[in-house]
Coordinates of all heavy atoms in Angstrom, one line a residue:
D1 N 0.8 -1.2 0.0 CA 0.0 0.0 0.0 C 0.9 1.3 0.0 O 0.6 2.2 -0.7 CB -0.9 0.0 1.2 CG -1.9 -1.2 1.2 OD1 -2.3 -1.5 0.1 OD2 -2.2 -1.7 2.3
V2 N 2.0 1.2 0.8 CA 2.9 2.4 0.8 C 3.6 2.5 -0.5 O 3.7 3.6 -1.0 CB 3.9 2.2 1.9 CG1 4.9 3.4 2.0 CG2 3.2 2.0 3.3
Y3 N 4.0 1.4 -1.1 CA 4.6 1.4 -2.5 C 3.6 2.1 -3.5 O 4.1 2.9 -4.3 CB 5.0 0.0 -2.9 CG 5.5 -0.1 -4.3 CD1 6.8 0.1 -4.6 CD2 4.6 -0.5 -5.3 CE1 7.3 0.0 -5.9 CE2 5.1 -0.6 -6.6 CZ 6.4 -0.3 -6.9 OH 6.9 -0.4 -8.2
D4 N 2.4 1.6 -3.5 CA 1.4 2.2 -4.4 C 1.2 3.7 -4.2 O 1.1 4.5 -5.1 CB 0.0 1.5 -4.2 CG 0.0 0.1 -4.7 OD1 0.9 -0.3 -5.5 OD2 -0.8 -0.7 -4.3
A5 N 1.3 4.1 -2.9 CA 1.1 5.5 -2.6 C 2.3 6.3 -3.1 O 2.1 7.4 -3.6 CB 1.0 5.7 -1.1
I6 N 3.5 5.8 -3.0 CA 4.7 6.4 -3.5 C 4.6 6.6 -5.0 O 5.0 7.6 -5.6 CB 6.0 5.7 -3.1 CG1 6.2 5.8 -1.6 CG2 7.2 6.2 -3.9 CD1 7.4 5.0 -1.1
T7 N 4.2 5.6 -5.7 CA 4.1 5.6 -7.2 C 3.0 6.7 -7.6 O 3.1 7.2 -8.8 CB 3.7 4.3 -7.8 OG1 2.5 3.8 -7.3 CG2 4.8 3.2 -7.5
K8 N 2.1 6.9 -6.8 CA 1.0 7.9 -7.1 C 1.5 9.3 -6.9 O 1.0 10.3 -7.5 CB -0.3 7.6 -6.4 CG -0.9 6.3 -6.9 CD -2.2 6.0 -6.1 CE -2.8 4.7 -6.6 NZ -4.0 4.3 -5.8
V9 N 2.4 9.5 -5.9 CA 2.8 10.9 -5.6 C 4.1 11.2 -6.3 O 4.6 12.3 -6.2 CB 3.0 11.1 -4.0 CG1 1.7 10.9 -3.3 CG2 4.1 10.2 -3.5
T10 N 4.6 10.3 -7.1 CA 5.9 10.5 -7.8 C 5.6 10.0 -9.3 O 4.5 9.5 -9.6 CB 7.1 9.8 -7.2 OG1 6.8 8.3 -7.3 CG2 7.3 10.2 -5.8
H11 N 6.7 10.0 -10.1 CA 6.6 9.4 -11.4 C 7.3 8.1 -11.4 O 7.6 7.6 -12.5 CB 7.3 10.4 -12.4 CG 6.6 11.7 -12.6 ND1 6.9 12.8 -11.8 CD2 5.6 12.1 -13.4 CE1 6.2 13.8 -12.2 NE2 5.3 13.4 -13.1
L12 N 7.5 7.5 -10.3 CA 8.1 6.2 -10.2 C 7.0 5.1 -10.4 O 5.9 5.3 -9.9 CB 8.8 5.9 -8.8 CG 9.9 6.9 -8.5 CD1 10.3 6.7 -7.0 CD2 11.1 6.7 -9.4
D13 N 7.3 4.1 -11.1 CA 6.3 3.0 -11.3 C 7.1 1.7 -11.6 O 8.3 1.7 -11.6 CB 5.3 3.3 -12.4 CG 5.9 3.6 -13.7 OD1 6.9 3.0 -14.0 OD2 5.3 4.5 -14.4
S14 N 6.4 0.6 -11.9 CA 7.0 -0.7 -12.1 C 7.9 -0.7 -13.3 O 8.7 -1.6 -13.5 CB 5.9 -1.8 -12.3 OG 5.0 -1.5 -13.3
A15 N 7.7 0.3 -14.2 CA 8.5 0.3 -15.4 C 10.0 0.6 -15.1 O 10.9 0.3 -15.9 CB 8.0 1.4 -16.4
N16 N 10.3 1.2 -13.9 CA 11.7 1.5 -13.6 C 12.3 0.4 -12.8 O 13.5 0.5 -12.4 CB 11.7 2.8 -12.8 CG 11.2 2.7 -11.4 OD1 10.8 1.7 -10.9 ND2 11.2 3.8 -10.6
D17 N 11.6 -0.7 -12.5 CA 12.2 -1.8 -11.6 C 13.4 -2.3 -12.3 O 13.4 -3.0 -13.3 CB 11.1 -2.9 -11.4 CG 10.0 -2.4 -10.6 OD1 10.0 -1.3 -10.1 OD2 9.0 -3.2 -10.4
D18 N 14.5 -2.1 -11.6 CA 15.8 -2.7 -12.0 C 16.2 -2.4 -13.4 O 17.0 -3.1 -14.0 CB 15.8 -4.2 -11.8 CG 15.5 -4.6 -10.3 OD1 16.3 -4.1 -9.5 OD2 14.6 -5.3 -10.1
Q19 N 15.7 -1.3 -14.0 CA 16.0 -0.9 -15.3 C 16.8 0.5 -15.3 O 16.8 1.2 -16.2 CB 14.8 -0.8 -16.2 CG 14.0 -2.0 -16.3 CD 14.7 -3.1 -17.0 OE1 15.5 -2.9 -17.9 NE2 14.5 -4.3 -16.5
S20 N 17.3 0.8 -14.1 CA 17.9 2.1 -13.9 C 19.3 2.2 -14.6 O 19.9 1.3 -15.0 CB 18.1 2.4 -12.4 OG 19.0 1.5 -11.9
Q21 N 19.7 3.5 -14.6 CA 21.0 3.8 -15.2 C 22.2 3.2 -14.4 O 23.3 3.2 -14.9 CB 21.2 5.3 -15.4 CG 21.1 6.0 -14.1 CD 21.0 7.5 -14.3 OE1 21.2 8.0 -15.4 NE2 20.7 8.2 -13.2
E22 N 22.0 2.8 -13.2 CA 23.1 2.2 -12.4 C 23.1 0.7 -12.5 O 23.7 0.0 -11.7 CB 22.9 2.6 -10.9 CG 21.7 2.1 -10.3 CD 21.8 2.0 -8.8 OE1 22.8 2.5 -8.2 OE2 20.9 1.5 -8.1
K23 N 22.5 0.2 -13.5 CA 22.3 -1.2 -13.7 C 23.6 -2.0 -13.6 O 23.7 -3.1 -13.1 CB 21.7 -1.5 -15.1 CG 21.1 -2.9 -15.2 CD 20.3 -3.0 -16.5 CE 19.7 -4.4 -16.6 NZ 18.8 -4.5 -17.8
G24 N 24.7 -1.4 -14.1 CA 26.0 -2.1 -14.1 C 26.9 -1.6 -13.0 O 28.1 -1.9 -13.0
S25 N 26.4 -0.9 -12.0 CA 27.2 -0.4 -11.0 C 27.4 -1.3 -9.8 O 26.6 -2.3 -9.7 CB 26.7 1.0 -10.4 OG 25.4 0.7 -9.8
G26 N 28.3 -1.0 -8.9 CA 28.5 -1.9 -7.8 C 29.5 -3.0 -8.1 O 29.8 -3.3 -9.2
N27 N 30.1 -3.6 -7.0 CA 31.0 -4.7 -7.2 C 30.3 -6.0 -7.7 O 29.0 -6.0 -7.6 CB 31.9 -4.9 -6.0 CG 31.0 -5.3 -4.8 OD1 30.1 -6.2 -4.9 ND2 31.3 -4.7 -3.6
I28 N 31.0 -7.0 -8.0 CA 30.5 -8.2 -8.6 C 29.6 -8.9 -7.6 O 28.5 -9.4 -7.9 CB 31.6 -9.1 -9.1 CG1 32.3 -8.5 -10.2 CG2 31.0 -10.5 -9.5 CD1 33.5 -9.3 -10.7
L29 N 30.0 -8.9 -6.3 CA 29.2 -9.6 -5.3 C 27.8 -8.9 -5.1 O 26.8 -9.6 -5.1 CB 29.9 -9.6 -4.0 CG 29.2 -10.2 -2.8 CD1 28.9 -11.7 -3.1 CD2 30.0 -10.1 -1.5
N30 N 27.8 -7.6 -5.0 CA 26.6 -6.8 -4.8 C 25.7 -7.0 -6.0 O 24.4 -7.2 -5.9 CB 26.9 -5.4 -4.6 CG 27.4 -5.0 -3.3 OD1 27.3 -5.9 -2.3 ND2 27.9 -3.9 -3.1
R31 N 26.2 -7.1 -7.2 CA 25.4 -7.2 -8.4 C 24.9 -8.7 -8.5 O 23.7 -8.9 -8.9 CB 26.3 -6.9 -9.7 CG 26.5 -5.4 -9.8 CD 27.7 -5.2 -10.7 NE 27.6 -5.7 -12.1 CZ 28.5 -5.6 -13.0 NH1 29.7 -5.1 -12.7 NH2 28.3 -6.1 -14.2
F32 N 25.6 -9.6 -8.0 CA 25.2 -11.0 -8.0 C 24.0 -11.2 -7.0 O 23.0 -11.8 -7.3 CB 26.3 -12.0 -7.6 CG 25.9 -13.4 -7.5 CD1 25.6 -14.2 -8.6 CD2 25.7 -14.0 -6.2 CE1 25.2 -15.5 -8.5 CE2 25.3 -15.3 -6.1 CZ 25.1 -16.1 -7.2
I33 N 24.2 -10.6 -5.8 CA 23.1 -10.6 -4.8 C 21.9 -9.9 -5.3 O 20.8 -10.4 -5.1 CB 23.6 -10.0 -3.5 CG1 24.8 -10.9 -2.9 CG2 22.5 -9.9 -2.5 CD1 25.4 -10.2 -1.6
D34 N 22.1 -8.8 -5.9 CA 20.9 -8.1 -6.5 C 20.2 -8.9 -7.5 O 19.0 -8.9 -7.6 CB 21.4 -6.8 -7.1 CG 20.3 -6.0 -7.8 OD1 19.4 -5.5 -7.0 OD2 20.3 -5.9 -9.0
L35 N 21.0 -9.6 -8.3 CA 20.4 -10.5 -9.4 C 19.5 -11.6 -8.8 O 18.4 -11.8 -9.2 CB 21.5 -11.1 -10.2 CG 21.0 -12.1 -11.3 CD1 20.2 -11.4 -12.3 CD2 22.3 -12.7 -11.9
I36 N 20.1 -12.3 -7.8 CA 19.4 -13.4 -7.2 C 18.1 -12.9 -6.4 O 17.1 -13.5 -6.5 CB 20.3 -14.2 -6.2 CG1 21.5 -14.8 -7.0 CG2 19.5 -15.3 -5.5 CD1 21.1 -15.7 -8.1
S37 N 18.3 -11.8 -5.6 CA 17.2 -11.3 -4.9 C 16.1 -10.8 -5.8 O 14.9 -11.0 -5.5 CB 17.6 -10.2 -3.9 OG 18.1 -9.1 -4.6
G38 N 16.5 -10.2 -6.9 CA 15.5 -9.7 -7.8 C 14.6 -10.8 -8.5 O 13.5 -10.6 -8.8
I39 N 15.2 -12.0 -8.7 CA 14.5 -13.1 -9.3 C 13.6 -13.8 -8.3 O 12.5 -14.2 -8.6 CB 15.5 -14.1 -9.9 CG1 16.2 -13.5 -11.1 CG2 14.8 -15.4 -10.3 CD1 17.3 -14.3 -11.7
F40 N 14.1 -13.9 -7.0 CA 13.3 -14.7 -6.0 C 12.4 -13.9 -5.2 O 11.4 -14.4 -4.7 CB 14.3 -15.4 -5.1 CG 14.9 -16.7 -5.7 CD1 16.1 -16.6 -6.4 CD2 14.2 -17.9 -5.6 CE1 16.6 -17.8 -6.9 CE2 14.8 -19.0 -6.1 CZ 16.0 -19.0 -6.8
Q41 N 12.6 -12.6 -5.0 CA 11.7 -11.7 -4.2 C 10.2 -11.8 -4.6 O 9.4 -12.0 -3.7 CB 12.2 -10.3 -4.2 CG 13.3 -10.0 -3.3 CD 13.8 -8.5 -3.5 OE1 13.1 -7.7 -4.1 NE2 15.0 -8.2 -3.1
P42 N 9.9 -11.8 -5.8 CA 8.4 -11.7 -6.2 C 7.7 -13.0 -5.8 O 6.4 -13.0 -5.6 CB 8.4 -11.6 -7.7 CG 9.7 -11.0 -8.0 CD 10.7 -11.5 -7.0
I43 N 8.4 -14.1 -5.6 CA 7.7 -15.4 -5.3 C 7.9 -15.8 -3.8 O 7.5 -16.9 -3.5 CB 8.1 -16.5 -6.2 CG1 9.6 -16.7 -6.2 CG2 7.6 -16.2 -7.6 CD1 10.0 -17.9 -7.0

């Protein structure tokens, strides 16, 4: 509900999920953890 409220008071929405300009930033470990968490979080 809070997430929905934020998307309504800003221009952020699901289209920006993990598609940001910092996609290739961070060290390899952080990027790997982000990859795994991004795949498993929704389920």
Side-chain angles (χ1 to χ4, degrees):
D1 297 325
V2 179
Y3 174 84
D4 289 341
I6 291 177
T7 60
K8 289 177 180 177
V9 299
T10 65
H11 295 93
L12 301 171
D13 55 36
S14 58
N16 71 1
D17 290 356
D18 299 306
Q19 303 294 326
S20 67
Q21 57 189 351
E22 65 159 3
K23 194 170 183 178
S25 66
N27 61 47
I28 294 177
L29 179 59
N30 284 345
R31 288 159 61 185
F32 176 75
I33 293 174
D34 175 67
L35 173 65
I36 299 301
S37 63
I39 292 174
F40 281 92
Q41 278 175 19
I43 57 176

